[in-house]
Amino acid sequence: MKMRRKINFTGRVQGVGFRLNTKEAVRDIKVTGYVKNLSDGTVELLLEGEKGDLSRAQKAVEEKMMGYWTKREWMDLPTDPHWKEFFIRY
């Protein structure tokens, strides 16, 4: 079943290549969605795909950016797949 997972990362997550590294981390995982800097200094990651792929993508990003994020919050949501690729949103 396709799902949507929204994850917000807090910490030193802007100005450190978080978005580019996130795109690289999820490149080989079957997910779509985006990563975006928010005005409050956090980074929003929105993933769509199978639940197992969402978990793999989240773990890949968390491991790749370990030391930059201090907190992350996420929620799973039902979805109609919206995106055809994963991209950096500006």
Side-chain angles (χ1 to χ4, degrees), residues 3 5 35-36 41 49 57 59 62 75 77 84 87 90:
M3 300 280 302
R5 181 171 292 172
V35 61
K36 176 182 177 181
K59 183 176 180 181
E62 289 173 355
M75 67 174 65
L77 307 162
K84 296 186 187 300
F87 61 97
Y90 297 94

Side-chain angles (χ1 to χ4, degrees), residues 17-70:
F18 201 101
R19 292 175 297 169
L20 188 58
N21 281 296
T22 294
K23 186 170 182 179
E24 176 69 21
V26 304
R27 181 184 64 203
D28 295 327
I29 304 171
K30 289 183 159 186
V31 293
T32 60
Y34 65 83
V35 61
K36 176 182 177 181
N37 285 346
L38 299 180
S39 62
D40 65 359
T42 64
V43 169
E44 177 180 82
L45 173 59
L46 195 126
L47 301 167
E48 292 182 335
E50 298 294 330
K51 191 169 185 174
D53 291 328
L54 298 182
S55 295
R56 280 190 289 286
Q58 181 176 349
K59 183 176 180 181
V61 172
E62 289 173 355
E63 289 177 356
K64 188 164 187 95
M65 298 311 295
M66 184 68 65
Y68 293 100
W69 62 270
T70 55

